[in-house]
Amino acid sequence: MRSRRLSGISGLIIDVDGTLLAHERAIPGAAELLAACTRQGMPYRIVTNTTRRSRAATAAALRSAGLAVADDVVLPPAVLARRLILDSGRPRAGLLVPEEVRGDLAGVLEDAR
């Protein structure tokens, strides 16, 4: 059963920097928020604008800060870009991203031109 505070809310979008983490450390109350969402069946996604880390690396950083986070709830720019590129029907793109991030772009063909 959801608390009254979350009544009428069907899901949350939560940013990483300054909301869940500050200088790679969990913000007070962040772990409790995520646990409450899970306990109450509130779906959430964690977003970030960092392009230097993959989805898995971002989730690992959150976990090392003490936050119970699965890789698939993290939505970094590369995951969203992949969806846009593949949905466009034109799977080629210039990939100007760190090697670590390329795994989040599976199925996108690198255009080296």
Side-chain angles (χ1 to χ4, degrees):
M1 182 166 161
R2 290 192 179 152
S3 70
R4 274 195 261 177
R5 204 175 222 175
L6 298 177
S7 178
I9 297 173
S10 58
L12 296 174
I13 297 174
I14 308 165
D15 187 37
V16 173
D17 295 320
T19 304
L20 295 177
L21 294 182
H23 307 291
E24 303 299 320
R25 298 175 77 173
I27 300 274
E32 292 80 6
L33 169 70
L34 297 179
C37 287
T38 300
R39 193 172 49 253
Q40 295 178 22
M42 170 71 67
Y44 64 89
R45 294 295 178 267
I46 297 172
V47 298
T48 180
N49 63 356
T50 188
T51 57
R52 63 186 167 87
R53 283 192 204 167
S54 67
R55 168 186 257 179
T58 300
L62 291 162
R63 286 191 294 271
S64 79
L67 304 176
V69 172
D71 290 4
D72 65 346
V73 301
V74 177
L75 296 176
V79 169
L80 300 173
R82 175 188 180 271
R83 184 177 302 163
L84 285 171
I85 293 164
L86 295 179
D87 287 353
S88 78
R90 298 174 55 196
R92 297 188 75 76
L95 302 180
L96 305 176
V97 297
E99 192 62 39
E100 173 185 325
V101 174
R102 289 173 183 252
D104 289 343
L105 295 162
V108 175
L109 305 172
E110 184 166 11
D111 190 343
R113 289 187 261 164

